[in-house]
Structure formats: C-alpha cells, structure tokens
C-alpha cells in the first residue's frame, strides 16, 4: 500500500518547517499480483534547498488461490461408450469446484491421476483439479468420476414355448437344444456381455405315456450381476394314434350248441389277433362287443 507522507520526516538547521513531498510510480510485474512501487521523497526548506530519499516496495504474490467449494465425486449409469458426454461436462464444470484469488483470476486444469476398471465397462477415474492464479500459484483437489452399472439386461426376444410330438427317440435332444438356445430368447446390455442360465431341474412332469412338460425360467446376467428373466414351457405331447400293425381277423367256429363262449372269449381277449404299437407308450385294447346276432338255431 502507498505509504502516507507523515511516515517520511525531515528536519533542517535553519527552518523548523520542512515541506516533504512524494512522487510515486508503479511498474507492473509479470502477473497481476506482482509489481514494484517506487516512492521518491523530497524535503525542501524555506530557502529552496532540498534533499531526496527513495523507497522501493516490491509486491509479490506467493499465495495460492483458495478453493471455497471442493470438486465433488459424481456417479453415472454406464452407457457402454465411456459416458464421454457426462465426463466432459463434469470436467468443464471443474467437478463443481469453485476457487477465488485475492490478486487475479483463477484458471482450472485437470489431470487423471488414477483409473481402475471394474465389471463390464464400469470404472473409477480419479481426477486432480488444479486452480492456478495469474502468478502461477496453484492448489489442487481430487475427485472421482464413477461409472456404475445398476441397469439389468434388456430381453429383446422372450423365450418361446416349444411343443413337440412324442417320439420313441429324439425328445431328449430337442429338449437339450431348446435349453441350449435359451428357449429362443435374446437379450442385450449396454455395459458388457451377457451370460445365460436356467432353472430346469432335469425332470418333466409325468403325464400320459411318455408325455410331460417343464416350465423353465431363463436368466440373462450381465457382467455386473444384474439380471433379467423370461419364462417358457417345453411340452411333449401325444396326438398321434397307435399304429395297427396287424388288423383283427374274422373267426368262424362250428356251433357247439352252448354259444361257443370259450372261443368267443379267447378271440376277444386276443383282440381278434390284431397287433398295434405306439411311439409314446403302451397300447391298451378295448372292444365294442355287446352280443351275437340271432341267426338260425344257436348261430350268430
């Protein structure tokens, strides 16, 4: 600060009233806070005799800016592309940091001091924010830019029910293929790859013949452990009738006068000598016999 005139005093052998005047000049330094102030003091007596003295004041700014609001951590949901827009905006705002300086303006700069990757495309980036004044004095604070993944995968195509006709062989392979293909489901995730699992316990329900079904939940899990589910049913059905391998044959017996009951019973029991097979289980026989026609005598 300029020194007041009364800080410089002078006396004279012949005059008690000595006039003291000062001329002040200021030369700016290489930054707003640095300057050199020169004061030339002139003492003059009543006879016009004078003498000078010089004071040089050097002002130096060695004080860094003051961070009044520190940069703060920020968390953003992973977009799979580095979240560059959010990161650039955070950097541009100095992480929310505010700094002031008594002698000039403040300029911010940043540098990444550490970065650790996590699951998928998530990460934690440590950034040092530095506030520098016009004279190069600086102060720094660090903050974290954190990419997290709390978003589950998206089921783009749900698992589909599958219904197949019961067969003597091949059903097991069809089930295996359906499970391996996740029931035809498809999923995507912005932040990384996807793994599939299902809750099939290895057993179908016990329906008629070799039919059965199982309702299976397929789970898509991303690299950060977030999950999405889709459910479908695998069914083995039987709509195909048995195949008659050998048709029933007529049977004619000579009347014995007692209804030929044994022959009739044996013929019915043998299903008229017919043979049938089925791909999906055993075959049970029945018939619609109600009685013989009333022909001549005991024939029919």
């Amino acid at each position: 600060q300029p020194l007041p005139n009364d800080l410089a005093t002078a006396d004279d052998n012949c005059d008690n009233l000595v006039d003291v005047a000062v001329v002040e000049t200021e030369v700016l330094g290489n930054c707003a806070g640095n300057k050199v102030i020169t004061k030339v003091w002139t003492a003059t007596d009543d006879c016009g005799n004078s003498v000078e003295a010089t004071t040089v004041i050097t002002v130096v700014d060695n004080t860094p800016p003051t961070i009044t609001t520190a940069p703060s951590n920020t968390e953003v949901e992973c977009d799979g592309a580095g979240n560059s827009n959010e990161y650039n905006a955070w950097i541009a705002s100095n992480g929310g940091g505010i700094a002031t300086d008594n002698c000039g303006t403040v300029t911010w700069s940043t540098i990444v001091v550490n970065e650790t990757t996590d699951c998928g495309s998530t990460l934690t980036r440590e950034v040092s924010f530095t506030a520098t004044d016009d004279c190069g004095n600086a102060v720094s604070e660090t903050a974290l830019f954190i990419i997290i993944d709390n978003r589950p995968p998206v089921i783009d195509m749900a698992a589909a029910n599958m219904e197949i006709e019961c067969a003597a062989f091949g059903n097991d392979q069809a089930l295996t293929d359906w499970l391996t293909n996740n029931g035809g489901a498809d999923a995507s995730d912005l932040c990384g790859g996807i793994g599939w699992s299902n809750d099939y316990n290895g057993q179908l329900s016990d329906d008629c013949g070799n039919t059965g079904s199982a309702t299976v939940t397929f789970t898509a899990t991303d690299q950060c452990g977030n999950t999405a589910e889709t459910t479908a049913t695998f069914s083995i059905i039987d709509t195909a009738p048995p195949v008659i391998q050998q048709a029933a044959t007529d049977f004619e017996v000579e009347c014995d006068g007692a209804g030929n009951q044994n022959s009739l019973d044996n013929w019915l029991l043998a299903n008229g000598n017919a043979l049938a097979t089925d791909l999906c289980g055993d075959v049970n026989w029945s018939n619609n016999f109600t009685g013989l026609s009333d022909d001549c005598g005991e024939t029919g």
Side-chain angles (χ1 to χ4, degrees):
Q1 297 295 324
L3 297 175
N5 289 350
D6 60 7
L7 291 184
T9 59
D11 54 25
D12 188 79
N13 289 334
C14 296
D15 190 352
N16 291 327
L17 298 175
V18 178
D19 180 38
V20 179
V22 63
V23 176
E24 181 179 315
T25 59
E26 183 175 286
V27 178
L28 298 179
N30 60 349
C31 61
N34 291 352
K35 58 186 175 181
V36 176
I37 301 171
T38 302
K39 292 176 176 289
V40 178
W41 305 88
T42 301
T44 305
D45 64 15
D46 288 340
C47 295
N49 304 300
S50 63
V51 64
E52 292 183 351
T54 301
T55 301
V56 178
I57 303 170
T58 302
V59 180
V60 178
D61 181 7
N62 289 326
T63 303
T66 299
I67 294 181
T68 55
T69 301
S72 59
N73 302 338
T74 189
E75 261 187 7
V76 296
E77 184 66 31
C78 179
D79 66 3
N83 296 83
S84 57
N85 289 339
E86 291 97 332
Y87 178 69
N88 291 336
W90 184 66
I91 291 296
S93 70
N94 307 312
I98 299 173
T100 59
D101 190 74
N102 290 332
C103 292
T105 59
V106 174
T107 302
W108 286 90
S109 61
T110 60
I111 185 172
V112 177
V113 296
N114 189 40
E115 182 173 297
T116 57
T117 57
D118 200 356
C119 56
S121 298
T122 64
L123 57 81
T124 299
R125 183 177 295 145
E126 183 180 6
V127 177
S128 176
F129 293 87
T130 300
T132 305
D133 66 17
D134 293 332
C135 294
N137 303 299
V139 61
S140 298
E141 288 279 356
T142 61
L144 302 177
F145 182 81
I146 305 169
I147 300 176
I148 63 173
D149 181 13
N150 289 327
R151 183 185 292 126
V154 175
I155 302 293
D156 299 311
M157 181 178 292
N161 297 336
M162 186 173 187
E163 200 173 72
I164 63 171
E165 187 69 27
C166 183
F169 57 88
N171 293 142
D172 289 344
Q173 187 60 50
L175 173 59
T176 298
D177 292 343
W178 184 74
L179 292 172
T180 301
N181 194 39
N182 308 310
D186 192 20
S188 59
D189 190 77
L190 288 176
C191 203
I194 292 174
W196 285 93
S197 61
N198 64 71
D199 64 352
Y200 178 60
N201 64 3
Q203 291 184 329
L204 299 177
S205 62
D206 186 14
D207 296 343
C208 58
N210 294 325
T211 64
S213 64
T215 298
V216 178
T217 296
F218 296 92
T219 301
T221 305
D222 68 20
Q223 291 175 303
C224 293
N226 304 299
T227 61
E229 296 180 345
T230 177
T231 299
T233 299
F234 180 88
S235 301
I236 299 175
I237 62 173
D238 181 13
T239 62
V243 175
I244 301 295
Q245 304 288 342
Q246 180 175 299
T249 57
D250 297 338
F251 188 46
E252 195 175 76
V253 296
E254 185 66 30
C255 178
D256 64 3
N260 296 84
Q261 191 64 47
N262 286 338
S263 296
L264 174 60
D265 290 345
N266 290 335
W267 182 75
L268 291 172
L269 187 62
N271 306 309
N273 295 317
L275 297 176
T277 59
D278 189 77
L279 292 177
C280 201
D282 298 329
V283 174
N284 295 315
W285 287 92
S286 62
N287 61 71
N288 65 347
F289 175 73
T290 58
L292 297 175
S293 62
D294 187 13
D295 295 345
C296 61
E298 297 293 329
T299 66

